Each structure stands twice: as structure tokens, then as C-alpha cells.
Amino acid sequence: MRILAIREKTVALGSASRNSSIGFGGMTASALAIHSDAMRDGRPVVGLAFDSIGRYGHGGLLRERFISRLAEASPESYSDGSGGIDPHKAWALVMADEKPGGHGERCGAVGLIDAALWDLKAKLAGVPLWKLLAEVSGQATDGHVPVYASGGHYRDVDDIKLLCADISRAVDEGHRRFKIKIGGVTLAEDVARVAAIHALLGPGMSLAVDGNGTFDRAKTLRYVDALAPFALAWIEEPVHPLDYDLHREIAAASPLPLATGENLFSRDDARNLLRHGGLRPERDMLQFDISLSYGLVEYLRILDDLETHGWSRQRCAPHAGHLFAAHCVAGLGLGLAEVAMDQASLFGSLTAHLPLHDGKAVLPDRPGTGLETCPPFQTIFEDLLQ
């Protein structure tokens, strides 16, 4: 099998929503298509990937460094020896001549290529990605994945009313786990938001909150004290993601579970969090974003480190809210997948079509990631398939 072309483009994800850290008006993402000379059912096999959200697109890095390293490589250098592709070999080619450390923005560019390679590999094997990953990892799965609905961004008008409407609609759709933002208004206003949602939740339902890394120690402890009566599933990223000492202090003082990791983008950073962050393997959650962290090849190394440090894969809930991450959760035996509560947005529409019952989504059974089944498929990929 030979890679014939690699095409990318930047996609606008802009919306009027905001959290305590950033607004999403100018947000972008990248889409990628890896064209091969392999044929299935009379059609060329193309590996597809769509970005995560929150770090913008990677077009410059893809064009200037990473695409050419793979596109110009010999087929033998990325072959799996049986007519398919080896993402681990391809990852090494893409990362050639890259210095260790100082990971910066390159992690997302490499992760996007990695996601397209795994989609290509699964399509060549004729199986959905979740099934391929289950075979790789030795996990048992039927393609049903536990999910939580993420949203609760702030509105300038009728915020609580609209938030409650969002949660009620998500409950009707089959969701049982939810996450909303905190820190963008006063503590009293945030407590009112949490209380309003808490009153809507039935037995077996849960709520988490997300501070987006903007709190200091004193503010975090005030929030922990105020929110403790609600028995939240977790309080996410209350403090800066790289302040491991402060994480350790908060973990020692908080009766609430903590969640963090979505803004750590390498095995190195994940390992430092495990060593120095004071997190509790029996209750806290790890949310490393697979696509933004050099991809699945690197994430498998992170999983090895988790085992060394006594963590269960069930404590992993990767940040993202897209199909690729959901396949990884199902196929690798992780705890939870994130999906966007706002299904009308472009990003939210990527998973809006998945059948959902009692907090579990059913992943596509077609070969690959199944991006072709998404409502916005043509909008995102049509010009990359020419």
C-alpha cells in the first residue's frame, strides 16, 4: 500500500459560547485526508481525521513540516508487512528530527495525522476502529460506549433558563451524565446554576463542573466548600494544568473528585502529573486529549505509565467529544467518552447521530472511524476527497 496524497484544510468552529477562560468566536480546527492506492469495494481507501476543539487548527505545521515527511517516505517504511499500514512506524517518520521536550503546538498536528492513519488501518482491515483497538488492547467491547454530555457554557441572557432547557433535552435524548462550566460568573451565581440542574437530575444521573484552569488556591477551596453538598462527579481543571504542586494541595483538601489532563499534550507531561500532582487513583479522573497529545501511538504509552502508577483505565475520560476519541474509549476499555451537548454546532453534530440509551452511545459498525456517517461529513471533507 502506498500513500498517494495527504490533504488538509482549516474549518471554522466559531460560536458565541464562552467559559471562564476563553471565548469560541474565532475557534478553528483541522481536517485531514490521507489518500492511498488501496481499493475496497471498487473505491480508493482514504483515511480521515477531524480535530479536537480548543487549540485551533494546525495547517501551518502540517504543511511546513509533518505532511511531507510521511508523503515522501517509501511504502516499505510504514508498511505493517501484510498490505496495511503501521501507525507506529508512520508516527516515527512524522516525528523525525523533532527534539524532545517543549512540545508546543506540534502535538495536535501529529495527532491529526495519527488519527487518519488509524482510520486508514481499520478501513484496510475492514473493521470499525473500536473493534480494531479492542483486538490491539485485548479489551472486550461491543461498540457501546458510556458518554457524558458536555456543555453548560455561559449565555448573557436567560442563562439558567437556557441551561436547564439544555439539560432537560439531553435527559430526553438518553443522557445520564452531564458537565457544565463554572468560574465565569460569581460563586453565588455558579452555585445557583448547579442547584438548578441538580434539581432536574433523577436517580443514577450525575453532574460534573469545569473551571477551565482559571482558579487560584483560595478560589478553588471556596468552590469546593460551596459545591461539596451536591456530590458532584468531579470538579475539572480548577487550577492551572501545569501547576502540579497546587494540584497536590487541592487533592489533599478536596472531598470532591478532581479531573484534569486535557491541556497536557505528551507522555512527558502526563507522567509528571502522575508523579507530582497528588491525584488519587481511586477517585480522580484523567482527561488527556488523544488527538491533541500526538495521537493514539503516544496515548498507548501514557496508558502504560498509568498502569505503572496504579491507575485503572476506567479513570480515563479523554477530552474531545468527537468520534475518534469515542472509538478509543470503547476499544481501549476506558471509562467515559465526552460528547457535546450542543448538537446544533458543527463540532456537536459529529456525534449527534449516534444512537443513545441510558447514557451509552452505539458506535458505527462500518470500517474505520465512521466519519462518513456524520451529518456534517460533506461540509468538512468533500473538497479533501477530490
Side-chain angles (χ1 to χ4, degrees), residues 15-20 22-24 152-156 181 184-185:
S15 73
S17 61
R18 63 180 176 89
N19 58 39
S20 65
I22 63 171
F24 290 84
H153 295 81
Y154 294 101
R155 275 92 159 212
D156 294 330
K181 303 301 181 180
V185 292

Side-chain angles (χ1 to χ4, degrees), residues 131 312 341:
K131 184 173 291 187
S312 165
M341 200 181 307

Side-chain angles (χ1 to χ4, degrees), residues 52-365:
S52 187
I53 190 170
R55 305 300 291 200
Y56 301 92
H58 320 291
L61 287 170
L62 287 166
R63 290 188 297 273
E64 293 173 12
R65 293 218 307 263
F66 296 112
I67 285 177
S68 60
R69 292 175 186 169
L70 182 58
E72 296 169 6
S74 67
E76 294 76 20
S77 64
Y78 49 71
S79 170
D80 66 0
S82 59
I85 193 160
D86 185 334
H88 297 267
K89 290 182 179 179
W91 193 94
L93 293 169
V94 171
M95 284 293 290
D97 298 323
E98 293 288 325
K99 292 182 68 175
H103 299 283
E105 293 290 331
R106 70 184 179 189
C107 321
V110 174
L112 192 72
I113 293 174
D114 175 87
L117 290 170
W118 284 98
D119 181 58
L120 179 61
K121 182 176 180 64
K123 286 173 175 172
L124 291 170
V127 297
L129 181 58
W130 58 264
K131 184 173 291 187
L132 175 72
L133 296 180
E135 294 170 358
V136 169
S137 64
Q139 302 291 318
T141 183
D142 57 2
H144 292 64
V145 57
V147 298
Y148 72 92
S150 178
H153 295 81
Y154 294 101
R155 275 92 159 212
D156 294 330
V157 178
D158 291 332
D159 178 56
I160 291 181
K161 177 182 177 181
L162 294 173
L163 176 58
C164 288
D166 289 342
I167 297 293
S168 296
R169 182 171 57 251
V171 169
D172 291 342
E173 291 165 355
H175 283 289
R176 296 297 178 261
R177 307 171 192 89
F178 310 90
K179 185 179 78 179
I180 66 167
K181 303 301 181 180
I182 57 171
V185 292
T186 67
L187 173 56
E189 290 172 303
D190 270 334
V191 170
R193 297 175 100 236
V194 170
I197 294 173
H198 195 264
L200 297 176
L201 302 184
M205 297 184 186
S206 63
L207 176 66
V209 296
D210 183 1
N212 292 106
T214 59
F215 296 9
D216 59 17
R217 182 181 187 277
K219 185 174 181 178
T220 300
L221 294 179
R222 288 197 299 271
Y223 266 79
V224 167
D225 287 343
L227 296 176
F230 296 101
L232 298 173
W234 66 75
I235 179 169
E236 180 175 326
E237 274 200 327
V239 301
H240 193 284
L242 290 171
D243 194 337
Y244 302 136
D245 280 346
L246 186 51
H247 275 90
R248 187 174 61 251
E249 288 186 46
I250 299 303
S254 174
L256 294 174
L258 304 180
T260 191
E262 73 172 67
N263 288 303
L264 305 178
F265 300 130
S266 69
R267 180 187 191 181
D268 299 329
D269 291 329
R271 187 172 55 238
N272 281 336
L273 176 68
L274 297 176
R275 286 174 175 171
H276 308 296
L279 298 179
R280 303 154 294 185
E282 74 282 359
R283 64 186 312 189
D284 295 332
M285 302 295 291
L286 299 171
Q287 299 173 305
F288 310 116
D289 187 313
I290 300 172
S291 285
L292 293 180
S293 303
Y294 290 110
L296 184 52
V297 167
E298 181 86 338
Y299 193 77
L300 292 172
R301 299 170 184 145
I302 292 174
L303 290 181
D304 289 340
D305 289 341
L306 294 187
E307 184 176 353
T308 299
H309 286 83
W311 284 77
S312 165
R313 294 184 178 205
Q314 286 294 302
R315 309 313 298 172
C316 295
H319 170 264
H322 52 55
L323 269 180
F324 180 75
H327 278 268
C328 293
V329 171
L332 299 178
L334 310 182
L336 280 173
E338 181 178 14
V339 296
M341 200 181 307
D342 179 10
Q343 298 183 352
S345 67
L346 176 62
F347 198 78
S349 66
L350 290 167
T351 53
H353 65 296
L354 297 179
L356 183 67
H357 176 71
D358 198 25
K360 288 189 175 183
V362 183
L363 294 175
D365 198 38

